[in-house]
Amino acid sequence: MIIAANLKTNLTRKQTTEYLNTLEGLIQTSKSTQEVLVFPATSSLIPHAGHIIVGAQNAYPAVNGAFTGEIGAEHLAEFGITTILIGHSERRHVLGESQEELVKKFNFYKELGFKIVYCVGEPLSLREAGEEAMMEYIDAQYEGIDLSYENLIIAYEPVWAIGTGLTPTLQDIEELHAKLKEKCSAPLLYGGSVKVANAKEVMALKSVDGVLVGGAALNVNDFNAMINIAQELEKK
Ligand code: PEP
């Protein structure tokens, strides 16, 4: 399974270094074979060798240039980063990134061979508007994205479940994931208020290939506990 941590705008470089070192130690002890991804804040990126794959939460679709406030591919290369999160709901809805911009980012980092975790998910108003409206909204987030890209991972994250403590029912996750699996055979993660207490039931769902965890991943022991839960489930 794929267990990913989005650290968002949290943890300084020093704290991130400690986090990664602690997590590497815990993984070494447990001998976990799960794929573990950690996305630190941009200024906390560090070169990292080990079991954990460190990825960028965001970068501009350029090697370098006049894009004030952004970082480009050459800045990621400095840290050996070859994994990127694209389309997170906070970038879509808080930072206002359009589908067109996300497609540019996707194509640019795809050309560089990056592993891309591409996020989709609906706001509450669309969920409440009924299945047709909701699926139309989610379908539009797939527009322009090469779904056959071999280094693609999709993360379904309902916007209303991110950082709120709310989650869809297990049946809702299963049904929605089954539909998304019909569109694309890439591994499909669930994200939105996953924590130690609910990780097992979510990851046990047939159509869930892993989880993308925000708030609950900030505690390294909790994140490690979720990695261990994934390992246990895989043994069965
Ligand atoms: C996220 O940021 O991708 C996320 C799922 O956050 P949280 O786990 O806090 O809901």
Side-chain angles (χ1 to χ4, degrees):
M1 257 186 262
I2 301 167
I3 318 297
N6 174 16
L7 302 180
K8 311 194 190 202
T9 315
N10 298 297
L11 304 194
T12 61
R13 177 171 291 184
K14 185 167 176 277
Q15 290 168 328
T16 302
T17 307
E18 281 166 12
Y19 182 100
L20 291 171
N21 290 341
T22 303
L23 190 57
E24 280 295 348
L26 292 167
I27 291 172
Q28 221 168 45
T29 306
S30 66
K31 299 189 172 53
S32 177
T33 54
Q34 305 306 302
E35 185 169 341
V36 179
L37 311 178
V38 175
F39 295 92
T42 301
S43 67
S44 300
L45 290 175
I46 44 166
H48 180 80
H51 183 87
I52 303 163
I53 297 170
V54 174
Q57 290 176 20
N58 180 48
Y60 200 76
V63 173
N64 54 32
F67 308 106
T68 303
E70 297 284 337
I71 61 163
E74 100 180 352
H75 306 95
L76 297 181
E78 197 175 13
F79 299 108
I81 304 287
T82 55
T83 298
I84 188 166
L85 198 59
I86 294 180
H88 189 276
S89 82
E90 285 148 18
R91 297 220 53 93
R92 290 181 191 266
H93 300 290
V94 182
L95 284 308
E97 277 185 15
S98 66
Q99 185 64 17
E100 200 185 350
E101 287 169 305
L102 294 173
V103 167
K104 270 192 203 147
K105 238 172 232 192
F106 185 95
N107 287 337
F108 183 83
Y109 286 100
K110 177 189 132 186
E111 280 308 304
L112 295 179
F114 271 51
K115 186 192 288 287
I116 298 176
V117 179
Y118 181 72
C119 305
V120 299
E122 80 291 351
L124 190 58
S125 58
L126 265 299
R127 174 157 287 241
E128 287 173 347
E131 177 158 345
E132 203 182 318
M134 180 176 89
M135 287 316 295
E136 217 172 90
Y137 184 89
I138 295 174
D139 284 348
Q141 296 179 323
Y142 280 79
E143 265 166 33
I145 301 297
D146 177 2
L147 299 178
S148 64
Y149 179 46
E150 71 267 22
N151 280 330
L152 172 63
I153 297 167
I154 304 269
Y156 168 63
E157 300 201 298
V159 180
W160 53 274
I162 296 180
T164 58
L166 303 171
T167 49
T169 64
L170 295 174
Q171 193 185 341
D172 282 347
I173 296 174
E174 183 68 5
E175 283 173 12
L176 206 285
H177 270 226
K179 283 194 191 109
L180 299 185
K181 286 254 177 195
E182 279 171 20
K183 294 164 77 68
C184 175
S185 63
L188 181 57
L189 314 185
Y190 169 77
S193 294
V194 175
K195 48 186 188 273
V196 178
N198 62 12
K200 187 171 180 182
E201 56 191 25
V202 171
M203 288 194 277
L205 295 172
K206 200 167 141 268
S207 59
V208 170
D209 301 310
V211 285
L212 175 55
V213 188
L218 288 174
N219 179 310
V220 71
N221 290 309
D222 283 358
F223 187 54
N224 183 57
M226 292 183 245
I227 297 169
N228 289 339
I229 290 168
Q231 188 77 15
E232 277 303 310
L233 283 168
E234 230 163 63
K235 275 193 227 150
K236 285 182 186 158

